[in-house]
Amino acid sequence: MAENEVPLLEKKKVYYDNCPGCVQDLKNERSRGMPYRDFLRVWVITLCTGLPIASLFPFLYFMIRDLKVAKSEEDIGFYAGFVGAAFMFGRALTSTIWGLVADRHGRKPVIIIGIIAVIIFNTLFGFSIDYWMAIVTRFLLGALNGLLGPIKAYSIEVCNKEYQALALSLVSTAWAIGLIVGPAVGGYLSQPAEKYPNIFSEQSVFGRFPYALPCLCISLFAVAVLISSIWLPETLHNHRANGKVENLEASPETKTITKEIEVLPPKQNLLKNWPLMSSILVYCIFSLHDMAYTEVFSLWAESDKKFGGLSFSSQDVGQVLAIAGFSLLIYQLFIYPRFEKQMGPIISARICAVLTIPLLFGYPFMTYLSGPMLSIVVNCASVLKNILSVTIITGTFILQNNAVPQDQRGAANGISMTAMSLFKAIAPAAAGIIFSWAQKRQHAFFFPGDQMVFFLLNLVELIGLILTFKPFLGVPGE
């Protein structure tokens, strides 16, 4: 009987009339090369939303001091943590909503709204006149900036499958560079009247608002990105109606159109998709670690050496992060694609998590160094730490997007952003409280001072490493 069976006909790809998603798919099908222009748009938009997230950390210590809410120097980290957490808390409340909006109304509207939010609320944060204004503007910036999830979905919809790993690596690279260059901008341009008295006077706007200049520069960049986004093509398919689609296939040879009706398969419940949910959990743990590290690094580097810090200025921290950002760009463009192709996203994440643990254990001992040796060691450690982090995060991006079909990527990334934002909201607040507590236990027997902070960071990294193994991590197709 098997010999007489007729093989099933291979289903042809069908493109639908007046559907932007089909237009993009057809473009991808006809153009086999790398979409440089679309990738540049994705990179710039992601950078735009990443810059303001961590730009405050180099000057947050001094901002809290100037706002006069901390009763002592050791309490500054406590109050700084809540300002750092406000953005992520706001984003946690709305990320799933923005993902659903992106799946229903398109990626482009969500991207445009997110960029506008950066322009308005990032600028207002720089002009904060009290502690609560700083918290509220950061919260609103996070709540209305829901474009990271949709831009991840968008990045793999503007290219062929062979370039999807690179597309997601561009998102994670731009994001990571934003989290590094943003603080560099904050470090160099904050308190300009003190750093550049020949250009800015104490009576000028930037003398009275010493943290407005870096925020304003990032907002001006966002304005340029907003203008360029007017020509952003939509990628969402819009040919659904009452569970059916009208199938319009145009033949380039005959110029005829065939018309048929097919019923769409039911959507899978994303919360029951274990490969997706397990990869989101891994992503959240490593994101918590990275956000806590970002907060701790600036606070630790700027704190006095008598408290176990490095006595860096905000400009020194900005320089370290700028070097790390440039190195990260080189790594992501020329090294990561080959590394990921050879090792795969899971193995590469495990290797980087293992290497991170001994690296962080060495941080507290840098306080015994000084001069050029201190600068060299801190810069090398910062570059290596950020390379390891972005490799892990990119791997989790790939796993998440491979776990769902195209029409659910916006919602899946919305769930991912919601969960990640909750973890990242906890991270700076907890890191600030723990850092403030550690500053007061310099002579403790068990991990004194900042050694305790880096020990706890390593503990989180170890948990993330364990979760990359079965049965905790589900892999699509297995």
Side-chain angles (χ1 to χ4, degrees):
M1 291 293 293
E3 293 179 357
N4 297 327
E5 288 182 359
V6 179
L8 293 175
L9 293 175
E10 182 179 352
K11 188 174 180 180
K12 290 181 65 178
K13 287 187 177 180
V14 178
Y15 300 102
Y16 297 81
D17 192 27
N18 298 321
C19 171
C22 288
V23 171
Q24 185 62 49
D25 287 349
L26 185 59
K27 177 183 174 183
N28 295 341
E29 183 70 22
R30 290 174 174 173
S31 176
R32 307 305 300 177
M34 187 183 300
Y36 292 101
R37 181 183 299 176
D38 293 325
F39 277 179
L40 178 61
R41 287 168 173 160
V42 167
W43 194 88
V44 171
I45 290 170
T46 309
L47 179 65
C48 169
T49 193
L51 283 173
I53 293 176
S55 62
L56 75 163
F57 288 127
F59 61 76
L60 185 57
Y61 184 92
F62 305 105
M63 187 182 199
I64 298 300
R65 181 197 64 187
D66 293 346
L67 293 176
K68 303 185 186 305
V69 292
K71 295 180 180 178
S72 65
E73 189 174 347
E74 293 93 331
D75 292 329
I76 289 177
F78 176 84
Y79 290 96
F82 291 105
V83 177
F87 175 93
M88 289 300 170
F89 181 65
R91 195 166 71 176
L93 296 178
T94 60
S95 288
T96 300
I97 296 173
W98 287 121
L100 294 172
V101 171
D103 279 345
R104 180 176 293 271
H105 300 289
R107 321 303 192 201
K108 185 174 179 178
V110 177
I111 291 171
I112 296 293
I113 293 171
I115 298 172
I116 293 173
V118 170
I119 296 170
I120 297 173
F121 295 106
N122 185 60
T123 303
L124 290 175
F125 172 74
F127 288 93
S128 296
I129 57 176
D130 58 40
Y131 182 67
W132 287 107
M133 179 177 176
I135 286 183
V136 170
T137 51
R138 289 287 296 181
F139 172 81
L140 292 174
L141 175 60
L144 296 175
N145 186 355
L147 66 81
L148 182 59
I151 200 66
K152 285 196 293 181
Y154 184 88
S155 69
I156 63 175
E157 292 166 359
V158 295
C159 65
N160 294 311
K161 191 171 183 179
E162 61 183 301
Y163 297 114
Q164 288 182 359
L166 177 60
L168 287 172
S169 75
L170 286 173
V171 173
S172 60
T173 302
W175 181 255
I177 290 176
L179 296 181
I180 295 170
V181 175
V185 172
Y188 278 115
L189 299 183
S190 60
Q191 300 170 306
E194 295 181 17
K195 296 173 183 173
Y196 317 108
N198 294 330
I199 303 176
F200 303 97
S201 69
E202 291 287 348
Q203 288 73 38
S204 67
V205 173
F206 299 118
R208 288 182 286 117
F209 298 96
Y211 310 106
L213 183 58
C215 297
L216 192 60
C217 289
I218 291 172
S219 296
L220 289 174
F221 174 71
V223 170
V225 175
L226 177 64
I227 294 172
S228 67
S229 298
I230 295 173
W231 295 277
L232 197 69
E234 182 57 72
T235 60
L236 182 69
H237 292 272
N238 63 4
H239 44 247
R240 298 168 181 79
N242 299 323
K244 296 182 179 181
V245 296
E246 190 175 81
N247 186 349
L248 296 174
E249 180 184 3
S251 170
E253 291 81 11
T254 63
K255 303 298 181 183
T256 61
I257 294 178
T258 57
K259 191 173 185 177
E260 61 185 48
I261 300 293
E262 62 176 312
V263 180
L264 290 174
K267 290 186 177 181
Q268 182 184 10
N269 187 337
L270 293 178
L271 297 179
K272 295 181 180 179
N273 184 334
W274 178 242
L276 172 66
M277 301 311 294
S278 60
S279 61
I280 287 176
L281 178 59
V282 174
Y283 175 48
C284 289
I285 296 297
F286 284 118
S287 294
L288 183 146
H289 173 274
D290 290 347
M291 195 67 180
Y293 168 82
T294 302
E295 167 105 356
V296 164
F297 178 78
S298 296
L299 293 174
W300 167 70
E302 291 170 352
S303 62
D304 197 282
K305 283 206 168 189
K306 67 182 180 181
F307 296 118
L310 303 180
S311 297
F312 276 15
S313 67
S314 60
Q315 189 169 355
D316 294 330
V317 173
Q319 181 175 324
V320 171
L321 296 175
I323 293 172
F326 178 76
S327 303
L328 191 61
L329 178 62
I330 300 299
Y331 166 77
Q332 201 75 8
L333 290 178
F334 300 105
I335 301 175
Y336 174 77
R338 295 182 177 87
F339 181 58
E340 192 276 335
K341 187 175 182 179
Q342 291 293 323
M343 307 303 298
I346 300 176
I347 299 298
S348 59
R350 290 171 183 167
I351 293 172
C352 291
V354 169
L355 294 176
T356 297
I357 292 173
L359 175 65
L360 286 181
F361 266 127
Y363 269 62
F365 301 101
M366 294 181 193
T367 190
Y368 299 110
L369 302 176
S370 60
M373 181 58 69
L374 174 61
S375 178
I376 292 170
V377 171
V378 170
N379 277 286
C380 289
S382 179
V383 168
L384 183 56
K385 174 65 178 70
N386 284 286
I387 284 175
L388 297 174
S389 295
V390 78
T391 303
I392 296 171
I393 294 300
T394 303
T396 62
F397 280 178
I398 294 172
L399 291 175
Q400 289 171 41
N401 281 277
N402 287 345
V404 292
Q406 192 261 2
D407 63 340
Q408 289 187 295
R409 284 181 188 143
N413 282 301
I415 294 173
S416 172
M417 289 300 102
T418 298
M420 180 269 285
S421 297
L422 282 172
F423 278 73
K424 281 196 170 185
I426 294 169
I433 292 171
I434 292 171
F435 181 81
S436 180
W437 166 68
Q439 296 268 287
K440 300 174 183 177
R441 56 185 305 276
Q442 296 297 320
H443 305 291
F445 173 75
F446 183 72
F447 290 115
D450 296 330
Q451 291 184 34
M452 175 59 74
V453 177
F454 290 102
F455 168 74
L456 294 175
L457 284 174
N458 270 334
L459 191 60
V460 175
E461 189 80 0
L462 179 60
I463 294 172
L465 173 62
I466 293 171
L467 291 177
T468 62
F469 291 89
K470 293 181 179 180
F472 305 108
L473 182 64
V475 180
E478 292 187 4

